[in-house]
Amino acid sequence: MVIDLLTKRYPGMRAWLMQRLTAFAMAAYSIMLLVRIIILQPAVYEEWLSFFQPIWFRIASWLFWICLSVHAWLGVRDVFKDYVPDYDIRVVLLKLLATLLWAYIAWASWLFLVR
Amino acid sequence: MQNNEPKIKSEAKQKNRPKNLNLTTIRLPINALVSILHRATGCILFLILPAILLLLQLSLSSAQHFEMVVSILHSPFTKLMLLGLAWAFFHHFFAGIRHLAMDVHWMTTLMKARYTSKVTLVLGALATFIVALKLWF
């Protein structure tokens, strides 16, 4: 029954669950980041570079950004649904939002994984 | 599914209805306040995403750029903005955790929800206060 709720027949349930899962993952990452900053206290450029050097941290940051994108998509989409009653305008805004979030993902991927 | 709602409402009920929605006449209950702030801070956090990426990009690109970013972040105006953004983050963080708790049916009665609303506001303010201490002292 629970699994049935998560199939394509109930997209709202999927959105609801994704919003929560991404929130949980981002909360965990935020605490990790805060603790890491407090422990390492990067103050000069070299320290800042080595702060971003470990591959596990880069992957974690990239995964954080993916969660952030999904979370922002669902959240801002809800805001548009509530405050933009005109369907055509809303579709344009949603396309703009998706383009922005994909561009941010590309940028973040370059920063965290390629650079 | 059948719609069992009555189509015609009683006349007395209709007469007392306000004709327009005047936001200044509505006193926001604390739960509603925490809820709308959760939405507002979410929007703010979404809007600053490009700034975060830009500052990361600059700070990691070279030592000179790193110094530039540091000096930007140390200017009094930026500090004030950082404090506001820190509050936005922490409020969204704690209000989000409150939502997750309610999703697992914890603290869901009205009185408990009011209590956790207060806790959310206080924790957000406390975390912001600590950030303020870090920024200016």
Side-chain angles (χ1 to χ4, degrees), chain A residues 43-105:
Chain A
V44 293
Y45 180 60
E46 283 70 31
E47 288 171 354
W48 185 234
L49 267 191
S50 61
F51 186 86
F52 267 88
Q53 213 39 251
I55 188 71
W56 69 266
F57 181 70
R58 286 162 172 258
I59 292 172
S61 302
W62 185 76
L63 288 174
F64 166 80
W65 200 272
I66 299 297
C67 288
L68 182 75
S69 306
V70 173
H71 197 83
W73 164 255
L74 295 170
V76 180
R77 193 186 64 162
D78 281 350
V79 171
F80 286 163
K81 275 182 186 170
D82 282 350
Y83 305 132
V84 187
D86 188 291
Y87 179 78
D88 294 324
I89 297 174
R90 197 163 72 220
V91 167
V92 174
L93 284 174
L94 285 174
K95 278 185 179 162
L96 200 72
L97 174 67
T99 315
L100 260 181
L101 288 174
W102 278 115
Y104 293 164
I105 287 179

Side-chain angles (χ1 to χ4, degrees), chain B residues 26-39 91 98 110 113-114 117 121:
Chain B
I26 298 171
R27 218 185 90 253
L28 219 52
I30 190 161
N31 295 335
L33 180 74
V34 168
S35 176
I36 194 65
L37 286 178
H38 189 220
R39 171 164 280 195
H91 181 83
R98 178 170 171 268
L110 182 58
R114 276 189 190 145
S117 283
L121 288 173

